[in-house]
Amino acid sequence: MRHRVRDRITRSDGTPHPQLTPLLDALSETAEPVSTLHWLADSTSAQLLIRLAADRRPISHDLLDELQPGHAERYLRHLLIAAGILPPRNDDLERIPAWLDSLLADRPPHHGRIVRPFTTWVLLRRARRQADDRLHTTPAAQRIRRRVRQALHLLDWLDAHHLELATLDQDRLDTWLSTNRSHYEAKQFLHWAAQRGLTDPFTIATPPTAMAAPVLAEEDRWHQLRRCLTDTALPLEVRVAGALVLLYGIPGERLRHLTTDQIHGTSDTMFLQLGNARLWIAPRLAELLHQLAKAPRQRSQLSRRLANQIPWLFPGALPGHPLSRKAFNDQLVRHGIQARLARTAALIALAAELPPPVLAKLLDLHIHTALKWAHHAQRDWSAYLTARITDLDGGG
């Protein structure tokens, strides 16, 4: 194995690329050499590794940015980050500029002159500032892409109607907004354009409320929860993820980013750390969580020996990353669990039993979020709040 790996990272002078020595050690000591040999022989990312090793320039993110964007380039980048060869990089956000270049390539020049500074100095700047305080940046990157697309959609519409942004008026804007609810994503763009004097200020109302999403019946929720806790035919990670969302309403984005370091105690008395909250785990679920924490399913054998490996509870195929959002949701759906419906049903049930301040503290929710779920549950907690105020006034 070591000979094969060394052969792939050897330069024209017969010596291994010095930056790739940590990768040589990690791959040579993998617990699953057969899968690693297949990766070295057949994968596109391994071929890109050979190209990097042959390049006389130092390996850096800038050098990888010169490669064709795609799965192979992304996999290799994160493999090198996990091996400690490259510094960590917020790839969800840092891939936006290249995506924007590709998106604008075939568009009129005036689209780029307007949308590029909006993306760079408003959307990306804010997202990068917030990324330091947030673990999950994928939703932020997706939100940027949606808002850029809607800004371009508006510019396309203006071009088709022989209009300019400077001549857009409220009536025409209302006409465009009314054709698609997603057009309201352009609100931030229009606010920025008005601040820059590119157009007049507009009044943009809140978009029409969508129809209420279907809710999982309480009987069905308990049936699915019982199945997660007792059906040994289900994969262990499906049982754990399904039970956590069905019982506590933990969102999928937060679930898939759980690490084993967040689990405290034993299967008899277990707590799950969710931000500032320590969530008590029911004993039967705690036993399943304990089993999964001891041996999470590894989708990438290359990840096991890497220096910067994070102890994900749900490891993904991409080195150093948890299971992707799509793979996580697809896995639950394949076994009959709709995560969004399950979460909604669980939170409505909890909100019907717990006052908003208690629910917020229990699940590390913002108080406004807890109040929203209490409204959905249609439970009046005024008596509880009056009692709490009385206790506080009395020093209790």
Side-chain angles (χ1 to χ4, degrees):
M1 172 63 71
R2 192 172 185 86
H3 173 76
R4 293 283 185 91
V5 177
R6 184 185 178 92
D7 181 60
R8 296 298 189 278
I9 65 171
T10 295
R11 300 182 296 185
S12 57
D13 61 5
T15 61
H17 194 296
Q19 283 182 270
L20 295 176
T21 301
L23 191 60
L24 171 62
D25 296 336
L27 298 183
S28 300
E29 298 171 10
T30 180
E32 296 289 341
V34 173
S35 65
T36 304
L37 285 171
H38 281 306
W39 178 76
L40 287 169
D42 302 329
S43 71
T44 305
S45 51
Q47 297 304 312
L48 293 181
L49 176 64
I50 294 173
R51 285 178 54 187
L52 285 184
D55 199 305
R56 306 302 298 181
R57 292 173 292 173
I59 295 174
S60 64
H61 283 296
D62 290 340
L63 184 59
L64 265 73
D65 287 341
E66 297 178 10
L67 301 176
Q68 179 68 32
H71 174 74
E73 168 267 326
R74 189 164 185 246
Y75 184 90
L76 179 58
R77 186 189 301 273
H78 288 283
L79 180 64
L80 297 176
I81 291 173
I85 296 168
L86 290 179
R89 180 174 105 157
N90 193 323
D91 211 37
D92 290 324
L93 298 181
E94 297 309 321
R95 296 172 78 87
I96 293 291
W99 169 81
L100 183 62
D101 288 342
S102 176
L103 191 64
L104 295 174
D106 298 325
R107 287 183 166 272
H110 68 278
H111 287 196
R113 288 195 297 269
I114 297 173
V115 171
R116 196 180 297 279
F118 167 68
T119 306
T120 303
W121 299 111
V122 179
L123 299 179
L124 267 176
R125 184 180 183 184
R126 181 179 181 184
R128 284 168 174 153
R129 188 169 61 246
Q130 294 176 338
D132 295 335
D133 302 321
R134 297 181 180 179
L135 177 62
H136 323 312
T137 56
T138 301
Q142 293 173 337
R143 185 163 53 250
I144 288 174
R145 292 171 191 252
R146 288 198 308 270
R147 292 180 178 179
V148 168
R149 288 192 181 101
Q150 289 307 318
L152 289 171
H153 194 294
L154 174 59
L155 295 178
D156 286 338
W157 185 85
L158 291 172
D159 289 348
H161 289 78
H162 308 289
L163 299 170
E164 296 180 0
L165 190 59
T167 59
L168 180 64
D169 58 30
Q170 185 71 52
D171 289 341
R172 289 191 176 96
L173 176 62
D174 289 341
T175 299
W176 179 74
L177 290 172
S178 66
T179 59
N180 193 318
R181 188 173 184 272
S182 64
H183 290 171
Y184 286 84
E185 289 277 3
K187 181 176 182 178
Q188 188 178 11
F189 168 70
L190 288 165
H191 178 68
W192 169 82
Q195 287 183 321
R196 296 297 180 277
L198 302 177
T199 189
D200 293 329
F202 295 105
T203 300
I204 303 178
T206 302
T209 303
M211 293 180 62
V215 178
L216 187 69
E218 190 68 356
E219 181 181 347
D220 293 334
R221 181 173 78 94
W222 284 109
H223 171 73
Q224 291 186 14
L225 177 59
R226 193 176 303 111
R227 181 166 167 253
C228 288
L229 296 175
T230 60
D231 189 351
T232 56
L234 290 176
L236 180 58
E237 56 187 359
V238 171
R239 297 175 68 187
V240 170
L244 285 172
V245 70
L246 285 160
L247 188 58
Y248 301 110
I250 303 173
E253 193 68 15
R254 198 166 200 175
L255 273 180
R256 69 186 188 89
H257 280 90
L258 288 177
T259 68
T260 57
D261 295 338
Q262 293 173 253
I263 301 171
H264 304 285
T266 65
S267 54
D268 295 327
T269 306
M270 180 179 287
F271 294 89
L272 183 64
Q273 192 74 39
L274 295 176
N276 295 321
R278 282 171 62 88
L279 179 64
W280 176 80
I281 302 298
R284 185 173 292 184
L285 175 54
E287 176 60 34
L288 298 177
L289 198 53
H290 180 66
Q291 293 176 28
L292 184 61
K294 286 199 305 183
R297 178 185 174 190
Q298 294 287 349
R299 287 172 172 78
S300 172
Q301 297 299 333
L302 301 178
S303 298
R304 294 189 174 190
R305 303 291 302 184
L306 298 176
N308 296 337
Q309 181 68 355
I310 299 173
W312 300 114
L313 193 62
F314 304 101
L318 199 63
H321 283 250
L323 198 59
S324 71
R325 175 187 293 188
K326 183 178 187 303
F328 184 86
N329 289 331
D330 287 351
Q331 182 174 237
L332 291 176
V333 169
R334 278 197 304 271
H335 294 89
I337 300 171
Q338 295 281 351
R340 179 173 294 184
L341 297 184
R343 178 173 183 259
T344 299
L347 287 172
I348 289 176
L350 288 169
E353 299 294 331
L354 299 172
V358 176
L359 181 62
K361 185 175 181 181
L362 177 70
L363 298 178
D364 193 40
L365 301 176
H366 194 282
I367 186 60
H368 291 165
T369 303
L371 287 167
K372 181 191 74 172
W373 288 110
H375 173 73
H376 283 308
Q378 296 296 312
R379 181 67 183 270
D380 184 2
W381 287 104
S382 57
Y384 167 82
L385 295 174
T386 301
R388 286 293 295 142
I389 292 171
T390 302
D391 286 344
L392 293 173
D393 289 344

